[in-house]
PDB file of all heavy atoms in Angstrom:
ATOM      1  N   PRO A   1      -8.265 -20.903 116.222  1.00 85.00           N
ATOM      2  CA  PRO A   1      -9.188 -19.916 115.628  1.00 85.00           C
ATOM      3  C   PRO A   1      -8.479 -18.903 114.734  1.00 85.00           C
ATOM      4  O   PRO A   1      -8.981 -18.563 113.655  1.00 85.00           O
ATOM      5  CB  PRO A   1      -9.816 -19.247 116.861  1.00 85.00           C
ATOM      6  CG  PRO A   1      -9.685 -20.256 117.953  1.00 85.00           C
ATOM      7  CD  PRO A   1      -8.386 -20.948 117.689  1.00 85.00           C
ATOM      8  N   LEU A   2      -7.315 -18.425 115.159  1.00 82.00           N
ATOM      9  CA  LEU A   2      -6.585 -17.452 114.341  1.00 82.00           C
ATOM     10  C   LEU A   2      -6.029 -18.111 113.082  1.00 82.00           C
ATOM     11  O   LEU A   2      -5.991 -17.489 112.007  1.00 82.00           O
ATOM     12  CB  LEU A   2      -5.450 -16.831 115.160  1.00 82.00           C
ATOM     13  CG  LEU A   2      -5.876 -15.980 116.364  1.00 82.00           C
ATOM     14  CD1 LEU A   2      -4.660 -15.424 117.077  1.00 82.00           C
ATOM     15  CD2 LEU A   2      -6.806 -14.864 115.933  1.00 82.00           C
ATOM     16  N   ALA A   3      -5.592 -19.362 113.214  1.00 83.00           N
ATOM     17  CA  ALA A   3      -5.082 -20.074 112.037  1.00 83.00           C
ATOM     18  C   ALA A   3      -6.186 -20.254 110.999  1.00 83.00           C
ATOM     19  O   ALA A   3      -5.979 -20.035 109.800  1.00 83.00           O
ATOM     20  CB  ALA A   3      -4.509 -21.427 112.454  1.00 83.00           C
ATOM     21  N   LEU A   4      -7.371 -20.648 111.450  1.00 89.00           N
ATOM     22  CA  LEU A   4      -8.490 -20.816 110.514  1.00 89.00           C
ATOM     23  C   LEU A   4      -8.890 -19.484 109.881  1.00 89.00           C
ATOM     24  O   LEU A   4      -9.335 -19.441 108.724  1.00 89.00           O
ATOM     25  CB  LEU A   4      -9.684 -21.441 111.236  1.00 89.00           C
ATOM     26  CG  LEU A   4      -9.482 -22.888 111.713  1.00 89.00           C
ATOM     27  CD1 LEU A   4     -10.718 -23.383 112.449  1.00 89.00           C
ATOM     28  CD2 LEU A   4      -9.156 -23.811 110.542  1.00 89.00           C
ATOM     29  N   LEU A   5      -8.723 -18.389 110.637  1.00 90.00           N
ATOM     30  CA  LEU A   5      -9.000 -17.067 110.072  1.00 90.00           C
ATOM     31  C   LEU A   5      -8.068 -16.783 108.897  1.00 90.00           C
ATOM     32  O   LEU A   5      -8.494 -16.239 107.867  1.00 90.00           O
ATOM     33  CB  LEU A   5      -8.838 -15.996 111.150  1.00 90.00           C
ATOM     34  CG  LEU A   5      -8.954 -14.532 110.678  1.00 90.00           C
ATOM     35  CD1 LEU A   5     -10.336 -14.268 110.087  1.00 90.00           C
ATOM     36  CD2 LEU A   5      -8.657 -13.577 111.833  1.00 90.00           C
ATOM     37  N   LEU A   6      -6.793 -17.168 109.015  1.00 88.00           N
ATOM     38  CA  LEU A   6      -5.853 -16.965 107.915  1.00 88.00           C
ATOM     39  C   LEU A   6      -6.237 -17.800 106.697  1.00 88.00           C
ATOM     40  O   LEU A   6      -6.149 -17.325 105.556  1.00 88.00           O
ATOM     41  CB  LEU A   6      -4.429 -17.314 108.368  1.00 88.00           C
ATOM     42  CG  LEU A   6      -3.798 -16.394 109.412  1.00 88.00           C
ATOM     43  CD1 LEU A   6      -2.369 -16.823 109.695  1.00 88.00           C
ATOM     44  CD2 LEU A   6      -3.827 -14.945 108.954  1.00 88.00           C
ATOM     45  N   PHE A   7      -6.669 -19.031 106.920  1.00 89.00           N
ATOM     46  CA  PHE A   7      -7.098 -19.865 105.792  1.00 89.00           C
ATOM     47  C   PHE A   7      -8.343 -19.275 105.126  1.00 89.00           C
ATOM     48  O   PHE A   7      -8.479 -19.324 103.897  1.00 89.00           O
ATOM     49  CB  PHE A   7      -7.379 -21.295 106.269  1.00 89.00           C
ATOM     50  CG  PHE A   7      -6.136 -22.059 106.633  1.00 89.00           C
ATOM     51  CD1 PHE A   7      -5.944 -22.532 107.918  1.00 89.00           C
ATOM     52  CD2 PHE A   7      -5.151 -22.300 105.683  1.00 89.00           C
ATOM     53  CE1 PHE A   7      -4.804 -23.232 108.260  1.00 89.00           C
ATOM     54  CE2 PHE A   7      -4.007 -23.005 106.021  1.00 89.00           C
ATOM     55  CZ  PHE A   7      -3.831 -23.466 107.306  1.00 89.00           C
ATOM     56  N   ALA A   8      -9.247 -18.726 105.930  1.00 93.00           N
ATOM     57  CA  ALA A   8     -10.443 -18.094 105.364  1.00 93.00           C
ATOM     58  C   ALA A   8     -10.066 -16.873 104.532  1.00 93.00           C
ATOM     59  O   ALA A   8     -10.628 -16.639 103.454  1.00 93.00           O
ATOM     60  CB  ALA A   8     -11.407 -17.703 106.485  1.00 93.00           C
ATOM     61  N   MET A   9      -9.103 -16.078 105.001  1.00 92.00           N
ATOM     62  CA  MET A   9      -8.670 -14.904 104.246  1.00 92.00           C
ATOM     63  C   MET A   9      -7.969 -15.317 102.957  1.00 92.00           C
ATOM     64  O   MET A   9      -8.075 -14.633 101.928  1.00 92.00           O
ATOM     65  CB  MET A   9      -7.745 -14.046 105.097  1.00 92.00           C
ATOM     66  CG  MET A   9      -8.411 -13.446 106.323  1.00 92.00           C
ATOM     67  SD  MET A   9      -9.919 -12.513 105.935  1.00 92.00           S
ATOM     68  CE  MET A   9      -9.243 -11.189 104.942  1.00 92.00           C
ATOM     69  N   LEU A  10      -7.260 -16.433 102.988  1.00 89.00           N
ATOM     70  CA  LEU A  10      -6.651 -16.956 101.765  1.00 89.00           C
ATOM     71  C   LEU A  10      -7.735 -17.282 100.739  1.00 89.00           C
ATOM     72  O   LEU A  10      -7.620 -16.937  99.549  1.00 89.00           O
ATOM     73  CB  LEU A  10      -5.832 -18.207 102.095  1.00 89.00           C
ATOM     74  CG  LEU A  10      -5.256 -18.973 100.904  1.00 89.00           C
ATOM     75  CD1 LEU A  10      -4.204 -18.136 100.190  1.00 89.00           C
ATOM     76  CD2 LEU A  10      -4.658 -20.306 101.368  1.00 89.00           C
ATOM     77  N   GLY A  11      -8.811 -17.959 101.189  1.00 90.00           N
ATOM     78  CA  GLY A  11      -9.917 -18.271 100.285  1.00 90.00           C
ATOM     79  C   GLY A  11     -10.617 -17.030  99.776  1.00 90.00           C
ATOM     80  O   GLY A  11     -10.985 -16.949  98.593  1.00 90.00           O
ATOM     81  N   LEU A  12     -10.779 -16.034 100.664  1.00 93.00           N
ATOM     82  CA  LEU A  12     -11.415 -14.790 100.234  1.00 93.00           C
ATOM     83  C   LEU A  12     -10.591 -14.094  99.159  1.00 93.00           C
ATOM     84  O   LEU A  12     -11.143 -13.569  98.177  1.00 93.00           O
ATOM     85  CB  LEU A  12     -11.615 -13.866 101.434  1.00 93.00           C
ATOM     86  CG  LEU A  12     -12.273 -12.514 101.142  1.00 93.00           C
ATOM     87  CD1 LEU A  12     -13.668 -12.715 100.557  1.00 93.00           C
ATOM     88  CD2 LEU A  12     -12.329 -11.663 102.409  1.00 93.00           C
ATOM     89  N   GLY A  13      -9.263 -14.105  99.327  1.00 90.00           N
ATOM     90  CA  GLY A  13      -8.407 -13.502  98.305  1.00 90.00           C
ATOM     91  C   GLY A  13      -8.516 -14.222  96.979  1.00 90.00           C
ATOM     92  O   GLY A  13      -8.546 -13.591  95.910  1.00 90.00           O
ATOM     93  N   LEU A  14      -8.597 -15.553  97.025  1.00 88.00           N
ATOM     94  CA  LEU A  14      -8.721 -16.337  95.800  1.00 88.00           C
ATOM     95  C   LEU A  14     -10.041 -16.044  95.079  1.00 88.00           C
ATOM     96  O   LEU A  14     -10.101 -16.010  93.851  1.00 88.00           O
ATOM     97  CB  LEU A  14      -8.623 -17.828  96.149  1.00 88.00           C
ATOM     98  CG  LEU A  14      -8.704 -18.828  94.993  1.00 88.00           C
ATOM     99  CD1 LEU A  14      -7.586 -18.598  93.992  1.00 88.00           C
ATOM    100  CD2 LEU A  14      -8.650 -20.261  95.535  1.00 88.00           C
ATOM    101  N   ALA A  15     -11.093 -15.823  95.857  1.00 88.00           N
ATOM    102  CA  ALA A  15     -12.411 -15.588  95.261  1.00 88.00           C
ATOM    103  C   ALA A  15     -12.697 -14.116  94.999  1.00 88.00           C
ATOM    104  O   ALA A  15     -13.735 -13.792  94.402  1.00 88.00           O
ATOM    105  CB  ALA A  15     -13.495 -16.152  96.186  1.00 88.00           C
ATOM    106  N   LEU A  16     -11.807 -13.227  95.433  1.00 89.00           N
ATOM    107  CA  LEU A  16     -12.101 -11.795  95.385  1.00 89.00           C
ATOM    108  C   LEU A  16     -12.420 -11.263  93.984  1.00 89.00           C
ATOM    109  O   LEU A  16     -13.376 -10.479  93.830  1.00 89.00           O
ATOM    110  CB  LEU A  16     -10.933 -11.016  95.995  1.00 89.00           C
ATOM    111  CG  LEU A  16     -11.221  -9.572  96.419  1.00 89.00           C
ATOM    112  CD1 LEU A  16     -12.379  -9.527  97.402  1.00 89.00           C
ATOM    113  CD2 LEU A  16      -9.970  -8.956  97.045  1.00 89.00           C
ATOM    114  N   PRO A  17     -11.670 -11.631  92.930  1.00 85.00           N
ATOM    115  CA  PRO A  17     -12.027 -11.105  91.602  1.00 85.00           C
ATOM    116  C   PRO A  17     -13.444 -11.485  91.186  1.00 85.00           C
ATOM    117  O   PRO A  17     -14.184 -10.663  90.642  1.00 85.00           O
ATOM    118  CB  PRO A  17     -10.976 -11.743  90.680  1.00 85.00           C
ATOM    119  CG  PRO A  17      -9.826 -12.057  91.571  1.00 85.00           C
ATOM    120  CD  PRO A  17     -10.436 -12.438  92.876  1.00 85.00           C
ATOM    121  N   PHE A  18     -13.817 -12.740  91.431  1.00 83.00           N
ATOM    122  CA  PHE A  18     -15.153 -13.197  91.065  1.00 83.00           C
ATOM    123  C   PHE A  18     -16.224 -12.482  91.881  1.00 83.00           C
ATOM    124  O   PHE A  18     -17.284 -12.105  91.376  1.00 83.00           O
ATOM    125  CB  PHE A  18     -15.223 -14.705  91.285  1.00 83.00           C
ATOM    126  CG  PHE A  18     -16.327 -15.366  90.531  1.00 83.00           C
ATOM    127  CD1 PHE A  18     -16.133 -15.795  89.234  1.00 83.00           C
ATOM    128  CD2 PHE A  18     -17.562 -15.561  91.119  1.00 83.00           C
ATOM    129  CE1 PHE A  18     -17.161 -16.408  88.541  1.00 83.00           C
ATOM    130  CE2 PHE A  18     -18.588 -16.173  90.427  1.00 83.00           C
ATOM    131  CZ  PHE A  18     -18.379 -16.599  89.131  1.00 83.00           C
ATOM    132  N   LEU A  19     -15.915 -12.273  93.176  1.00 86.00           N
ATOM    133  CA  LEU A  19     -16.857 -11.572  94.039  1.00 86.00           C
ATOM    134  C   LEU A  19     -17.031 -10.126  93.584  1.00 86.00           C
ATOM    135  O   LEU A  19     -18.147  -9.582  93.618  1.00 86.00           O
ATOM    136  CB  LEU A  19     -16.361 -11.623  95.484  1.00 86.00           C
ATOM    137  CG  LEU A  19     -17.310 -11.112  96.567  1.00 86.00           C
ATOM    138  CD1 LEU A  19     -18.569 -11.959  96.624  1.00 86.00           C
ATOM    139  CD2 LEU A  19     -16.606 -11.106  97.921  1.00 86.00           C
ATOM    140  N   ALA A  20     -15.931  -9.499  93.164  1.00 86.00           N
ATOM    141  CA  ALA A  20     -16.008  -8.115  92.685  1.00 86.00           C
ATOM    142  C   ALA A  20     -16.888  -8.010  91.443  1.00 86.00           C
ATOM    143  O   ALA A  20     -17.656  -7.054  91.288  1.00 86.00           O
ATOM    144  CB  ALA A  20     -14.602  -7.594  92.387  1.00 86.00           C
ATOM    145  N   ILE A  21     -16.789  -8.992  90.550  1.00 82.00           N
ATOM    146  CA  ILE A  21     -17.625  -8.979  89.347  1.00 82.00           C
ATOM    147  C   ILE A  21     -19.101  -9.054  89.713  1.00 82.00           C
ATOM    148  O   ILE A  21     -19.953  -8.397  89.115  1.00 82.00           O
ATOM    149  CB  ILE A  21     -17.229 -10.136  88.417  1.00 82.00           C
ATOM    150  CG1 ILE A  21     -15.861  -9.858  87.807  1.00 82.00           C
ATOM    151  CG2 ILE A  21     -18.268 -10.352  87.334  1.00 82.00           C
ATOM    152  CD1 ILE A  21     -15.309 -10.998  87.008  1.00 82.00           C
ATOM    153  N   GLY A  22     -19.413  -9.844  90.748  1.00 79.00           N
ATOM    154  CA  GLY A  22     -20.809  -9.991  91.143  1.00 79.00           C
ATOM    155  C   GLY A  22     -21.385  -8.740  91.773  1.00 79.00           C
ATOM    156  O   GLY A  22     -22.588  -8.501  91.691  1.00 79.00           O
ATOM    157  N   PHE A  23     -20.542  -7.893  92.407  1.00 86.00           N
ATOM    158  CA  PHE A  23     -21.065  -6.762  93.165  1.00 86.00           C
ATOM    159  C   PHE A  23     -20.688  -5.399  92.589  1.00 86.00           C
ATOM    160  O   PHE A  23     -21.157  -4.383  93.099  1.00 86.00           O
ATOM    161  CB  PHE A  23     -20.574  -6.850  94.618  1.00 86.00           C
ATOM    162  CG  PHE A  23     -21.345  -7.825  95.454  1.00 86.00           C
ATOM    163  CD1 PHE A  23     -21.050  -9.187  95.409  1.00 86.00           C
ATOM    164  CD2 PHE A  23     -22.379  -7.402  96.271  1.00 86.00           C
ATOM    165  CE1 PHE A  23     -21.763 -10.088  96.175  1.00 86.00           C
ATOM    166  CE2 PHE A  23     -23.092  -8.299  97.040  1.00 86.00           C
ATOM    167  CZ  PHE A  23     -22.798  -9.655  96.991  1.00 86.00           C
ATOM    168  N   VAL A  24     -19.856  -5.365  91.568  1.00 84.00           N
ATOM    169  CA  VAL A  24     -19.468  -4.080  90.971  1.00 84.00           C
ATOM    170  C   VAL A  24     -20.035  -4.019  89.556  1.00 84.00           C
ATOM    171  O   VAL A  24     -19.518  -4.669  88.635  1.00 84.00           O
ATOM    172  CB  VAL A  24     -17.936  -3.914  90.951  1.00 84.00           C
ATOM    173  CG1 VAL A  24     -17.564  -2.568  90.330  1.00 84.00           C
ATOM    174  CG2 VAL A  24     -17.370  -4.028  92.363  1.00 84.00           C
ATOM    175  N   PRO A  25     -21.085  -3.250  89.341  1.00 82.00           N
ATOM    176  CA  PRO A  25     -21.720  -3.202  88.013  1.00 82.00           C
ATOM    177  C   PRO A  25     -20.764  -2.762  86.909  1.00 82.00           C
ATOM    178  O   PRO A  25     -20.872  -3.241  85.776  1.00 82.00           O
ATOM    179  CB  PRO A  25     -22.847  -2.181  88.211  1.00 82.00           C
ATOM    180  CG  PRO A  25     -23.136  -2.211  89.678  1.00 82.00           C
ATOM    181  CD  PRO A  25     -21.829  -2.461  90.340  1.00 82.00           C
ATOM    182  N   ALA A  26     -19.841  -1.842  87.219  1.00 82.00           N
ATOM    183  CA  ALA A  26     -18.926  -1.340  86.191  1.00 82.00           C
ATOM    184  C   ALA A  26     -18.083  -2.463  85.597  1.00 82.00           C
ATOM    185  O   ALA A  26     -17.751  -2.442  84.405  1.00 82.00           O
ATOM    186  CB  ALA A  26     -18.029  -0.253  86.775  1.00 82.00           C
ATOM    187  N   ILE A  27     -17.724  -3.432  86.428  1.00 78.00           N
ATOM    188  CA  ILE A  27     -16.932  -4.562  85.923  1.00 78.00           C
ATOM    189  C   ILE A  27     -17.815  -5.482  85.088  1.00 78.00           C
ATOM    190  O   ILE A  27     -17.412  -5.958  84.016  1.00 78.00           O
ATOM    191  CB  ILE A  27     -16.295  -5.338  87.089  1.00 78.00           C
ATOM    192  CG1 ILE A  27     -15.363  -4.414  87.895  1.00 78.00           C
ATOM    193  CG2 ILE A  27     -15.523  -6.549  86.570  1.00 78.00           C
ATOM    194  CD1 ILE A  27     -14.721  -5.091  89.086  1.00 78.00           C
ATOM    195  N   ARG A  28     -19.043  -5.727  85.553  1.00 74.00           N
ATOM    196  CA  ARG A  28     -19.935  -6.623  84.822  1.00 74.00           C
ATOM    197  C   ARG A  28     -20.286  -6.062  83.447  1.00 74.00           C
ATOM    198  O   ARG A  28     -20.489  -6.805  82.491  1.00 74.00           O
ATOM    199  CB  ARG A  28     -21.220  -6.866  85.618  1.00 74.00           C
ATOM    200  CG  ARG A  28     -21.030  -7.709  86.852  1.00 74.00           C
ATOM    201  CD  ARG A  28     -22.353  -8.294  87.304  1.00 74.00           C
ATOM    202  NE  ARG A  28     -23.398  -7.284  87.416  1.00 74.00           N
ATOM    203  CZ  ARG A  28     -23.587  -6.537  88.506  1.00 74.00           C
ATOM    204  NH1 ARG A  28     -22.779  -6.691  89.545  1.00 74.00           N
ATOM    205  NH2 ARG A  28     -24.572  -5.655  88.546  1.00 74.00           N
ATOM    206  N   GLU A  29     -20.387  -4.745  83.361  1.00 75.00           N
ATOM    207  CA  GLU A  29     -20.764  -4.135  82.083  1.00 75.00           C
ATOM    208  C   GLU A  29     -19.735  -4.383  80.991  1.00 75.00           C
ATOM    209  O   GLU A  29     -20.051  -4.284  79.801  1.00 75.00           O
ATOM    210  CB  GLU A  29     -20.975  -2.635  82.280  1.00 75.00           C
ATOM    211  CG  GLU A  29     -22.224  -2.300  83.103  1.00 75.00           C
ATOM    212  CD  GLU A  29     -22.322  -0.826  83.420  1.00 75.00           C
ATOM    213  OE1 GLU A  29     -21.391  -0.080  83.005  1.00 75.00           O
ATOM    214  OE2 GLU A  29     -23.301  -0.413  84.080  1.00 75.00           O
ATOM    215  N   ARG A  30     -18.512  -4.660  81.403  1.00 74.00           N
ATOM    216  CA  ARG A  30     -17.454  -4.902  80.422  1.00 74.00           C
ATOM    217  C   ARG A  30     -17.427  -6.360  79.951  1.00 74.00           C
ATOM    218  O   ARG A  30     -16.663  -6.706  79.045  1.00 74.00           O
ATOM    219  CB  ARG A  30     -16.095  -4.538  81.011  1.00 74.00           C
ATOM    220  CG  ARG A  30     -15.962  -3.046  81.326  1.00 74.00           C
ATOM    221  CD  ARG A  30     -14.592  -2.738  81.895  1.00 74.00           C
ATOM    222  NE  ARG A  30     -14.435  -1.315  82.153  1.00 74.00           N
ATOM    223  CZ  ARG A  30     -14.016  -0.421  81.265  1.00 74.00           C
ATOM    224  NH1 ARG A  30     -13.699  -0.814  80.036  1.00 74.00           N
ATOM    225  NH2 ARG A  30     -13.907   0.860  81.580  1.00 74.00           N
ATOM    226  N   LEU A  31     -18.229  -7.213  80.596  1.00 68.00           N
ATOM    227  CA  LEU A  31     -18.270  -8.619  80.209  1.00 68.00           C
ATOM    228  C   LEU A  31     -19.264  -8.817  79.064  1.00 68.00           C
ATOM    229  O   LEU A  31     -20.277  -8.111  78.982  1.00 68.00           O
ATOM    230  CB  LEU A  31     -18.680  -9.487  81.398  1.00 68.00           C
ATOM    231  CG  LEU A  31     -17.722  -9.515  82.591  1.00 68.00           C
ATOM    232  CD1 LEU A  31     -18.325 -10.335  83.718  1.00 68.00           C
ATOM    233  CD2 LEU A  31     -16.365 -10.077  82.188  1.00 68.00           C
ATOM    234  N   PRO A  32     -18.998  -9.786  78.193  1.00 70.00           N
ATOM    235  CA  PRO A  32     -19.958 -10.058  77.105  1.00 70.00           C
ATOM    236  C   PRO A  32     -21.268 -10.609  77.656  1.00 70.00           C
ATOM    237  O   PRO A  32     -21.295 -11.298  78.671  1.00 70.00           O
ATOM    238  CB  PRO A  32     -19.224 -11.106  76.257  1.00 70.00           C
ATOM    239  CG  PRO A  32     -18.229 -11.737  77.184  1.00 70.00           C
ATOM    240  CD  PRO A  32     -17.809 -10.662  78.132  1.00 70.00           C
TER     241      PRO A  32
END
């Protein structure tokens, strides 16, 4: 269970920039 938690956190880190764009309006406003 702890090992799978680390793999999940790895995936979350990989997706974090994209997730931030979806939930932070200030970042989206800078996109075309």
Side-chain angles (χ1 to χ4, degrees):
L2 295 180
L4 293 178
L5 174 61
L6 292 183
F7 289 119
M9 296 306 296
L10 173 66
L12 180 60
L14 181 60
L16 198 56
F18 200 87
L19 188 63
I21 290 173
F23 281 82
V24 180
I27 300 178
R28 290 199 309 274
E29 290 173 359
R30 295 181 178 273
L31 296 176

